[in-house]
Amino acid sequence: MIENQKIRPAQVIGPLGEPLTLDTLPPPSTSRWVVRRKAEVVAAVNGGLLSVDEVCERYRLTLEEFAGWQRAVDRSGMPGLRVTRIQHYKSLYERQQKY
C-alpha cells in the first residue's frame, strides 16, 4: 500500500526563484490569470507539488489549457504565457521547426 502513496515535496522553486508551497499558490478562486500565476502553477506541477489532474480540478482548467501553458513555458519561458504574445511565439516556434 505504501507504494501507491506519492511522496510530495513540501515546497518547490517558483518561476522567479521563490519557494512555492500549496499555501502560496494562487487561490482556487482565481479568475484573472496573469503570467506569474500561470508560471507558478506550471512550476508546481513540474516540481511535483501538484499533479496535472489536481491542478485542472483545483483551478477548473481543461487539460488542453494547462498543456498550452506548459508548452508556452517550455518554448519561450514566462514571456510565452502573455496572452498578447501567444500568436507571435506560436509563429516563431513554427518557423524554427521548419529549419
Side-chain angles (χ1 to χ4, degrees):
M1 183 174 288
I2 292 177
E3 304 98 34
N4 294 336
Q5 295 177 351
K6 294 185 179 181
I7 298 174
R8 295 177 187 232
Q11 66 181 20
V12 296
I13 302 301
L16 301 176
E18 78 287 0
L20 285 177
T21 65
L22 289 175
D23 293 333
T24 60
L25 284 173
S29 61
T30 300
S31 61
R32 186 167 182 270
W33 286 100
V34 296
V35 171
R36 180 186 50 80
R37 290 182 189 140
K38 291 178 187 178
E40 287 174 346
V41 172
V42 170
V45 170
N46 290 344
L49 196 59
L50 290 171
S51 70
V52 173
D53 292 334
E54 290 170 327
V55 164
C56 290
E57 183 179 329
R58 178 179 173 139
Y59 296 111
R60 295 178 300 281
L61 301 172
T62 64
L63 184 58
E64 292 79 17
E65 186 174 14
F66 179 75
W69 292 0
Q70 277 191 314
R71 258 190 319 277
V73 169
D74 290 344
R75 290 179 181 173
S76 308
M78 284 181 63
L81 291 169
R82 292 181 58 201
V83 173
T84 57
R85 302 297 287 171
I86 288 174
Q87 191 61 41
H88 167 76
Y89 286 112
K90 182 178 176 184
S91 64
L92 178 66
Y93 183 76
E94 288 171 352
R95 284 194 306 258
Q96 289 173 346
Q97 291 295 90
K98 289 181 183 179
Y99 301 105

